[in-house]
Every structure is written in C-alpha cells, then in structure tokens.
Amino acid sequence: MSLLFVRPARLRATVLAALAVATGAALASSHREAPFITTVPKVDAADFYLFMSYEPGRTDYVTLIANYLPLQDAYGGPNYFSLDPNALYEIHVDNNGDAKEDLTFQFRFKNTLKGTALPIGDKNVAIPLIQAGTVADVKAAALNLTESFTVDVVRGDRRSGTRQAVTGASGGTSFDKPVDNIGRKTIADYPAYAAKHIHTVTVPGCAQPAKVFVGQRKDPFAVNLGTIFDLVNAPVSTITDPTLIGAAPNTLEGKNVTTLALEVHKSCLVAGNEPVIGGWTSASLRQARLLDPLPKAGHQSNDKAGGAWVQVSRLGMPLVNEVVIGLPDKDRFNSSRPKDDAQFATYVTHPTLPALLSTVLNLPGSAPTNLPRNDLVTTFLTGIKGVNQPAGVVPSEMLRLNTSIAAVPFAQQNRLGVVGNLLAKGGDNAGFPNGRRPKDDVVDIALVAVMGGLCIANGDTDALGFGAACRPSAVPLGMTSLKLHDAVDQAVVPLLAGFPYLNTPNGGTP
Amino acid sequence: MNYKQWAMVALAAGLSGCFGGDDDDHSLPPDGPATASVPDSALASPAAYTAFTQTLVAQPSETGEPLSADKVTVPPGSETDEPAAVN
C-alpha cells in the first residue's frame, strides 16, 4: 500500500495505530518489544544497566545489570519465575571499540526439584508447591525447588573464545539463587534472605574479587503504560511542563523482574589505555527443540532442547528495539550482533519516532530537520567524543561507559544524565548515555534527544561535535524540545544504596 | 460376529502390526497406541539433532501423532557450534 495514495484520514489512523504500538513499547525500555520474544518471556531482556558503582568504597568497580522476564506479578505462584535451564544468558563487554565482544559473562541455570512428599495414609504424595514451610536461609530445607546457576567468563568470541569458570569462596562453581518473594508468611524477612545470596567470586584473569547476584527484584523502570498505549493520551501542556514530571502513576510499580547483576573491578574490563567499554546483554535458546508428548515426572521435562545456541534477545542502549527499529526487523535485531549494525543504520539516521510523535500530539512539522540524524548516530552508535567514545570506534549499538569518569553519589545524580548535566552546567557526566544508572530517566532523555534537544545544546558552533547541521534552527520545537517528558519520574523509584542496587521485589502478600 | 467381536479383531490386528517387525523406530508406550520415536541417528550429534528437527518443520501435520522422545535422555547440544542455516 503506497502512503501517497491513502486518504489523509486513513493515513492518520494508520500512523496513530503504529504509534500506539511504538510508543507503548517505547516507554517500557525493552519489555516484550519484538514479536518472537513475546512467546518466550524467560529470555526477554527488559533492561540493561552499566555504571560505575556509586556505593562508598566501591567506586573503582563497574556494575553490570541485566534484567529478564519482565512484568512479573508478585502473586505468580505456584511456579513463580525461575529462569530457563535451556537458555544461555550473557553479558558482553567490548573494550577496544571494534564492535566485537572481548569478554562475555555466561549464566546457566539449573532448577532442581526435590520431590517433597507428604505421607497421606499409606502413601507418599508429592506436594503441589515449591515450598513446604518457611524460608530464611540459603538452601532452605523447606524449598521443594531450588535454583542455582554457574557463571563462566569467555575471552574472545563468545562461542569460540577461551571459557573459564567463575568460582566462589570455597572454589565452587555453583551459586544459589533465592526463591522469589512468595510472601511474608513464607519469607518473613525477604531483604535479609536475598542478601545472603550476594556471592563474592573470583573471575579468572582478574586481580580483584567480584560480586554476583541473581534474583528477583522490583522492576526499576518507571513508565505510564496505560496513557502511552492510549495514543499518548496526555496533553502536550503536561508533557512539556517540567513541574509535571511526576504527574502520572508508574504502572510498573507493582511488577518484578529477574536480575543478573555483576560488580567487577574496572581493571578487569578495560584493555590497554582505553577507558571506555561497551556493554550489552543477550539471551540464546537451543536451535533444536522437541516436545515430549509423554513427559516424565520432573520439572520442565517435556522440553528436549539441543543443537547450537541461537540468540533471540539483545539489549544495549534502552529503547532501541522499542522505538528505533521498525516492526519488520525487531526479531532480526534481537538475533543480530553489534558488528553487523550497519544493516540497521537507516533507522537511526532517519528515525520515524519524531514524525510519529508530531502526528499523534498534533504538532505538525515538529520533527527535527537535520537529516541524516548524526546526533542520534553519535548517541546510539559511537558515543560522544570526549565523554564516552572509544578511539577508533566502529559504529555499533551498545551502552558505552567511560570508566575514567568518576561515579557521582546517588543524591547528586542528575536524572537527565549527560543532557541534564549540560543544561544545568553541573558536575555529573556519569549518567546516560555515558553508561546507564537506575536513576537515569532514559525515557525523558530519549524524548529530548529525538525531538532535537541535543542540537539545541550543540548550538551554532557544533560545540558537542554532533555536526554543523545539528543546530537550533533544525529544531522546530526549539527550547521546548528540552522540556519534553513522559510525566513519570524515574528518579523517585526506590533503590538500594549498594549492590545490587535494585530494590527488594514486591511480595505475594503485602 | 457382533460389533464387540469385530472391534477386538481390529485391535489385535493393529497391535500385531506394531510388533510385527524389528524396526527400531517403533515403541509401545504403556498406555497408548503404537507411535514412532525420534531415530537414533538424530541423537548422534548436535548437528544431527538440529537437522532432524528441520525435517519435522518441513512436514507439519494437522493429524499425525507426535514422536516419542523416550530415547532423548540427554539432547545433543554444543557450547561452541554456530547455528545451522535455515532456509
């Protein structure tokens, strides 16, 4: 169907329908953002964070957090949300800017069913629950299902590189994962219980010990899904008024995710004199799967997965597969690797989101005119020169963190990251897109960026190196582009003061 | 013969057909009719397992019975192979 021959009313409806999908996904980082991944939620990467640890005494460490299996309801028993033992979850680091992973941390999971049974008359009968009593400690006897995982570090190519096991205090390679927050009768003190599962580990080739935690957390992402899905049903006057950044409720407030968190000394991640590292997470499933029509008694025993690993989920910068990649290519993006990102370049240089927003917000002609959008190429594909761009960078989509820029204490962090710091002429260059901290309001930052805010900041002198075309005259919204927000304030989401930073999950009972 | 007697004859004929050969691909689950199994050749390697599932993809069926997976105790997997191309 050629858009040139569509009646205006029908075109508007089509655009609005497309926007309902695009912006709905847009304001949920990367929750259920691609058609195939909606069928396999356990390998759905929801968010990726990469930042210098800001906990006192840990400021030379890098925290890497990958969240999976989004939109968990706390009452999701009896099975809750264990991760998939037939999946491979990975966090990749590129430390020389060539768009290829140099280190990969691989997580593999094992769910062990004890087979707890009760004597009922003269028979022993298996119980229907994952717990048979209260839980307070690691390897609690009352747990009918225990979850554990291993971590390997691979140097070089993620498949053909050198793989070594990460080990715990006693040399063991298996680590316990806490059960999800079933409720306060089962687990009276969930924060204390979960904290017992923060493991100090030895990473081969790294001089300092690291920390690892895998477990359920409260979803740290803040967004108002209902309003966004309803064709952005919010007045323009609201979403351009800075005093109303918290006017709308966070519809993810009651949701949980499963977090894979690492804290690694920066010396373990960087290479040579290059302080900038790139990071992203991926998840893979076995290529071949047979379903057993007569599964044996056990846990997930009908799934006979084999063959090679096939990547089905990918997440670096937030919102890319949500609102940058077109619908026909979202599954392809999830299966792709940064070194091949040239195939998606047009989505960045000629983004559709500004045009869509112009239509649905009834702001005709408000999309920036500096095409190709080299400002977005810099933000998403290379990093900003002098901030987080590695030398000789190969354009590719990933989060990039400059490990030589010191962390900023939580209270002093600017919720608008580098953009906010520029506007405030402040001292916080440690935020998004220089990595990503949980407090960074990436939705507001992205709205500002796509609607031309970076070009306002770039001025007529190309002060930030986004190119001469990226100037205030190319931004129809003018200074208003710097005020855009989604009316949900990321910065008020409660977090922990230290590793793993993300908050205790919502419990099955309040 | 009445209806019941004819049914018993038909069932006996069907079951004897299942036991009639020494084809390794036939097995009899405890409580169901005869069904084919995943062949041994599919378990020889990760590539063979993948190739076998590709044959299944190429032959979707609205009426067939699923294969027994009794022989698939440890599916062949690889930590290093690259995925096979799929046409």
Side-chain angles (χ1 to χ4, degrees):
Chain A
M1 178 178 76
S2 168
L3 293 176
L4 293 176
F5 296 96
V6 176
R7 289 180 182 171
R10 187 171 179 187
L11 173 60
R12 178 178 168 81
T14 302
V15 169
L16 290 175
L19 182 63
V21 172
T23 55
L27 299 188
S29 187
S30 197
H31 300 37
R32 304 181 76 247
E33 83 293 347
F36 178 75
I37 210 65
T38 65
T39 71
V40 282
K42 292 198 176 201
V43 287
D44 181 1
D47 277 287
F48 181 63
Y49 300 89
L50 178 68
F51 56 96
M52 297 305 294
S53 299
Y54 49 84
E55 180 181 358
R58 303 292 289 182
T59 50
D60 280 336
Y61 286 78
V62 176
T63 296
L64 307 93
I65 293 174
N67 285 348
Y68 279 87
L69 215 179
L71 303 176
Q72 296 175 21
D73 284 316
Y75 46 80
N79 287 290
Y80 295 94
F81 303 98
S82 56
L83 291 182
D84 192 348
N86 291 322
L88 178 64
Y89 301 82
E90 297 179 288
I91 294 176
H92 309 278
V93 174
D94 168 16
N95 59 21
N96 57 13
D98 67 352
K100 299 175 186 173
E101 66 274 10
D102 299 291
L103 286 113
T104 295
F105 295 93
Q106 298 181 330
F107 294 76
R108 293 174 172 81
F109 291 88
K110 184 176 177 184
N111 303 322
T112 304
L113 185 64
K114 278 188 195 169
T116 303
L118 294 177
I120 310 297
D122 62 344
K123 298 186 186 300
N124 278 333
V125 184
I127 67 171
L129 304 177
I130 63 170
Q131 87 278 29
T134 59
V135 173
D137 292 305
V138 181
K139 297 189 196 304
L143 284 174
N144 188 23
L145 182 79
T146 58
E147 302 167 72
S148 60
F149 61 96
T150 61
V151 185
D152 292 313
V153 62
V154 182
R155 287 189 165 77
D157 181 271
R158 60 186 184 173
R159 297 293 169 261
S160 60
T162 304
R163 186 170 138 211
Q164 297 171 285
V166 169
T167 56
S170 55
T173 57
S174 178
F175 306 100
D176 294 291
K177 173 186 176 291
V179 70
D180 292 341
N181 195 355
I182 297 168
R184 55 188 167 79
K185 185 171 183 180
T186 301
I187 310 167
D189 186 351
Y190 193 84
Y193 166 71
K196 295 174 185 177
H197 296 77
I198 298 175
H199 307 280
T200 298
V201 298
T202 299
V203 178
C206 297
Q208 287 86 3
K211 289 184 185 177
V212 64
F213 170 83
V214 177
Q216 191 182 53
R217 296 282 94 187
K218 182 181 177 315
D219 195 331
F221 199 84
V223 63
N224 184 1
L225 288 175
T227 292
I228 299 309
F229 278 123
D230 188 19
L231 302 179
V232 193
N233 189 7
V236 172
S237 59
T238 297
I239 63 174
T240 55
D241 183 347
T243 66
L244 298 176
I245 62 170
N250 172 18
T251 53
L252 293 186
E253 172 67 28
K255 301 294 185 181
N256 296 327
V257 286
T258 300
T259 292
L260 284 62
L262 284 164
E263 189 184 50
V264 184
H265 196 273
K266 63 181 181 179
S267 64
C268 181
L269 301 176
V270 299
N273 295 322
E274 179 57 70
V276 177
I277 58 172
W280 69 100
T281 187
S282 70
S284 300
L285 295 173
R286 292 292 186 188
Q287 183 169 31
R289 167 187 263 180
L290 285 173
L291 295 178
D292 190 343
L294 295 172
K296 310 286 186 295
H299 196 261
Q300 201 174 325
S301 58
N302 47 354
D303 192 359
K304 306 288 187 182
W309 292 114
V310 174
Q311 181 182 306
V312 296
S313 186
R314 170 190 167 186
L315 176 55
M317 295 281 275
L319 307 173
V320 169
N321 211 13
E322 299 287 273
V323 294
V324 177
I325 305 299
L327 190 52
D329 287 325
K330 289 183 184 296
D331 289 333
R332 288 184 62 236
F333 181 83
N334 267 343
S335 297
S336 68
R337 300 171 71 173
K339 65 183 181 66
D340 301 317
D341 278 347
Q343 62 183 320
F344 303 116
T346 300
Y347 286 118
V348 180
T349 58
H350 295 73
T352 58
L353 183 59
L356 291 169
L357 285 173
S358 299
T359 300
V360 72
L361 294 175
N362 201 23
L363 296 172
S366 59
T369 59
N370 57 311
L371 294 174
R373 293 290 303 271
N374 290 325
D375 53 323
L376 299 182
V377 169
T378 299
T379 304
F380 285 106
L381 302 184
T382 67
I384 302 169
K385 211 172 184 69
V387 178
N388 65 335
Q389 185 179 101
V393 65
V394 172
S396 50
E397 189 280 301
M398 63 182 74
L399 268 179
R400 290 185 171 85
L401 174 70
N402 188 335
T403 61
S404 65
I405 294 178
V408 170
F410 180 80
Q412 282 81 55
Q413 291 176 10
N414 190 312
R415 57 182 285 280
L416 294 180
V418 171
V419 170
N421 189 50
L422 283 170
L423 297 173
K425 296 181 171 56
D428 177 18
N429 250 1
F432 183 77
N434 179 22
R436 179 189 175 192
R437 304 169 298 201
K439 188 179 178 180
D440 295 334
D441 197 324
V442 297
V443 173
D444 288 3
I445 297 168
L447 282 172
V448 168
V450 295
M451 296 308 286
L454 295 175
C455 297
I456 296 291
N458 201 36
D460 292 324
T461 61
D462 195 16
L464 301 174
F466 290 131
C470 181
R471 61 200 307 144
S473 59
V475 184
L477 285 181
M479 294 297 289
T480 300
S481 65
L482 296 170
K483 300 177 185 176
L484 281 167
H485 61 83
D486 67 331
V488 178
D489 189 1
Q490 176 67 54
V492 301
V493 171
L495 299 166
L496 300 182
F499 185 82
Y501 293 98
L502 305 188
N503 208 7
T504 299
N506 299 292
T509 50
Chain B
M1 277 192 236
N2 61 28
Y3 170 76
K4 282 188 181 176
Q5 288 170 321
W6 277 114
M8 291 301 294
V9 168
L11 179 60
L15 289 175
S16 66
C18 287
F19 285 115
D22 55 5
D23 184 344
D24 194 40
D25 283 344
H26 285 77
S27 59
L28 187 66
D31 297 311
T35 181
S37 295
V38 174
D40 291 340
S41 58
L43 306 178
S45 69
Y49 197 67
T50 302
F52 175 72
T53 58
Q54 290 202 46
T55 65
L56 297 182
V57 170
Q59 300 168 5
S61 170
E62 297 301 317
T63 58
E65 290 298 323
L67 297 174
S68 167
D70 273 358
K71 296 180 186 178
V72 189
T73 50
V74 180
S78 171
E79 300 301 318
T80 56
D81 286 355
E82 289 299 324
V86 176
N87 294 324

